[in-house]
């Protein structure tokens, strides 16, 4: 079950079970609709993202950033009118990017959706997403994008109302400025979740607040944190290093991972601790989804029974694949790049007999 309410990425377990181009618009005369036309088998990994989200990612010249409210590099909520205004202005501020066939990409977004889509499309793992999308054009795009990637949509509800959107502006240096519109978006509520939603699920990614209380509950099997999240986790301590954060996380869950961007990652399971470098061959165009795809690769490694270090190496391959183009969705060419990197490192490539 995945949610985007909080700072860390966790795999949570349930008692008795291990948890850890647009289609035609959806019907507008229904308040709630579940997509039951997708994969019949229960997903191995289910992601909970209460609100479906559409990302509009564009590479722009920095002059546009001076014209929109809020500081550069941050993520500040905006009203739908402001989001539409920014999208209109983007058309005259797009930077040409020869390696990327499209200077602006629109796709399903959100940390959970990025991870689940990557696991399904790139690794062939049966995954589902639990949440709600609106009965608008953006909701149709979310369904189309996730469904075409092989994601099980049987637990995705369609509700009357708008789907969340986010504009992600990437400057020439790869820095991101995000303006999400979330306030009026449809959302799945806790009381709407049923046992049937989790039938057959073996692993669930989850974001919860407060993070510390959740970690100390003993219900978390796996936790991912990036460098900033790790520092925030230990803000009241003298030592806020990634290593210190890793030790703290490892006390409360079986697998603890701290990602370090271009410096790779640290991971610990029991007494084993590894440091794995990032892939030097990855040319960074946009870092959107890097941590999400790393998590997907790591989870694939766990599903395959790989060692801690191998899980991390798969994660660096998948994380490195998504930063080679705009947005949090890996292109077919970059999936092939990832498979090649995995072969070079002696890792099991999805779909190939080992």
């Amino acid at each position: 079950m995945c949610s985007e309410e909080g700072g860390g990425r966790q795999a949570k377990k349930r008692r008795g079970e291990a948890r850890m181009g647009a289609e035609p618009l959806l019907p507008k005369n229904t308040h709630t609709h579940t997509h039951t036309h997708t994969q019949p088998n229960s997903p191995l990994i289910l992601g909970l993202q209460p609100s479906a989200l559409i990302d509009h990612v564009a590479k722009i010249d920095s002059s546009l950033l001076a014209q929109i409210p809020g500081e550069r590099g941050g993520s500040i909520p905006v009203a739908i009118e402001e989001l539409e205004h920014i999208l209109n202005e983007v058309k005259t501020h797009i930077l040409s990017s020869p390696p990327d066939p499209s200077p602006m990409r629109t796709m399903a977004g959100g940390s959970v959706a990025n991870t689940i889509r990557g696991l399904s499309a790139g690794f062939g793992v049966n995954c589902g997403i639990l949440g709600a999308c609106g009965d608008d054009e953006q909701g149709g795009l979310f369904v189309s994008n996730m469904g075409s990637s092989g994601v099980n949509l049987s637990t995705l509800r369609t509700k009357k109302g708008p789907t969340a959107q986010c504009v992600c502006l990437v400057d020439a240096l790869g820095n991101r400025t995000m303006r999400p519109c979330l306030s009026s978006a449809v959302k799945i509520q806790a009381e709407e979740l049923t046992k049937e939603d989790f039938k057959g699920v073996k692993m669930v990614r989850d974001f919860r607040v407060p993070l510390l209380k959740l970690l100390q509950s003993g219900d978390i099997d796996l936790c991912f944190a990036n460098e900033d999240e790790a520092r925030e986790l230990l803000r009241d301590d003298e030592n806020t290093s990634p290593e210190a954060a890793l030790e703290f996380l490892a006390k409360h869950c079986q697998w603890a991972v701290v990602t370090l961007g271009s410096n790779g990652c640290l991971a610990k399971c029991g007494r084993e601790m590894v440091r794995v470098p990032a892939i030097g061959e990855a040319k960074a165009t946009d870092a959107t989804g890097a941590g999400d795809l790393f998590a997907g690769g790591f989870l694939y490694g766990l599903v395959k029974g790989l060692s801690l270090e191998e899980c991390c190496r798969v994660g660096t391959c998948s994380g490195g694949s998504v930063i080679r183009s705009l947005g949090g969705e890996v292109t077919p060419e970059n999936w092939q790049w990832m498979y090649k990197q995995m072969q070079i490192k002696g890792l099991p490539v999805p779909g190939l007999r080992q």
Side-chain angles (χ1 to χ4, degrees):
M1 176 166 90
C2 317
S3 162
E4 306 222 11
E5 306 172 3
R9 304 180 183 90
Q10 303 100 36
K12 186 178 180 183
K13 60 185 178 183
R14 281 191 306 170
R15 301 304 180 193
E17 284 187 348
R19 275 192 185 184
M20 267 232 340
E23 293 179 336
L25 297 189
L26 304 174
K28 297 216 175 199
N29 58 351
T30 57
H31 286 82
T32 301
H33 171 70
T34 302
H35 302 272
T36 56
H37 59 281
T38 52
Q39 301 176 16
N41 297 328
S42 297
L44 177 66
I45 298 178
L46 180 67
L48 169 61
Q49 181 169 311
S51 293
L53 174 71
I54 286 294
D55 275 344
H56 307 278
V57 188
K59 196 154 191 176
I60 50 91
D61 68 71
S62 57
S63 63
L64 174 60
L65 301 179
Q67 302 176 30
I68 63 176
E71 60 181 307
R72 300 184 183 190
S75 179
I76 301 175
V78 295
I80 185 62
E81 295 79 11
E82 181 63 27
L83 181 136
E84 291 175 346
H85 171 72
I86 295 172
L87 285 175
N88 189 57
E89 289 296 314
V90 162
K91 299 174 184 177
T92 58
H93 291 81
I94 286 180
L95 286 180
S96 59
S97 181
D100 201 318
S102 175
M104 181 168 178
R105 300 182 65 196
T106 297
M107 67 202 77
S111 178
V112 170
N114 290 340
T115 299
I116 292 299
R117 178 178 53 211
L119 269 167
S120 178
F123 293 101
V125 177
N126 186 1
C127 296
I129 190 160
L130 173 58
C133 63
D135 60 344
D136 54 3
E137 180 180 4
Q138 285 70 40
L141 285 169
F142 188 90
V143 169
S144 176
N145 183 238
M146 298 297 284
S148 65
S149 296
V151 175
N152 187 319
L153 303 180
S154 61
T155 53
L156 179 69
R157 279 76 154 167
T158 298
K159 294 185 173 185
K160 188 172 182 60
T163 303
Q165 300 182 66
C166 180
V167 179
C168 182
L169 307 174
V170 184
D171 65 21
L173 298 177
N175 300 312
R176 294 173 294 160
T177 299
M178 292 177 282
R179 295 295 181 265
C181 179
L182 311 173
S183 58
S184 60
V186 299
K187 180 179 181 179
I188 195 169
Q189 303 296 327
E191 58 269 21
E192 298 176 63
L193 303 179
T194 67
K195 290 183 179 180
E196 192 66 23
D197 289 326
F198 304 100
K199 184 178 180 180
V201 175
K202 300 300 181 185
M203 190 176 297
V204 182
R205 287 187 69 238
D206 195 9
F207 295 67
R208 291 294 174 85
V209 175
L211 177 59
L212 289 174
K213 183 177 179 180
L214 184 57
L215 283 170
Q216 293 165 357
S217 71
D219 288 337
I220 303 302
D221 294 316
L222 165 65
C223 183
F224 298 95
N226 63 35
E227 203 165 358
D228 290 335
E229 291 165 346
R231 189 177 298 112
E232 177 66 19
L233 189 66
L234 300 180
R235 64 182 176 182
D236 296 328
D237 296 0
E238 290 184 10
N239 186 356
T240 60
S241 67
E243 292 80 5
L246 183 72
E247 290 295 334
F248 176 82
L249 293 173
K251 292 178 181 178
H252 301 289
C253 52
Q254 186 173 354
W255 294 279
V257 184
V258 176
T259 56
L260 306 173
S262 60
N263 292 317
C265 70
L266 295 168
K268 189 170 184 180
C269 179
R271 295 183 178 181
E272 181 184 9
M273 197 273 278
V274 299
R275 180 187 289 268
V276 174
I279 295 183
E281 296 87 346
K283 298 179 180 179
T285 295
D286 172 24
T288 301
D292 308 328
L293 269 294
F294 173 93
F298 190 98
L299 289 172
Y300 168 78
L302 288 184
V303 169
K304 289 294 183 181
L306 303 186
S307 69
L308 180 64
E309 181 174 350
E310 288 172 325
C311 288
C312 290
R313 292 195 182 280
V314 178
T316 61
C317 289
S318 55
S321 69
V322 74
I323 67 174
R324 294 166 59 86
S325 61
L326 286 177
E329 181 177 19
V330 181
T331 64
E333 297 78 13
N334 287 330
W335 280 130
Q336 293 304 314
W337 176 90
M338 184 194 77
Y339 299 147
K340 181 179 178 180
Q341 297 300 319
M342 291 177 68
Q343 281 186 308
I344 292 172
K345 298 178 185 305
L347 298 167
V349 178
L352 293 184
R353 289 186 178 182
Q354 305 303 317

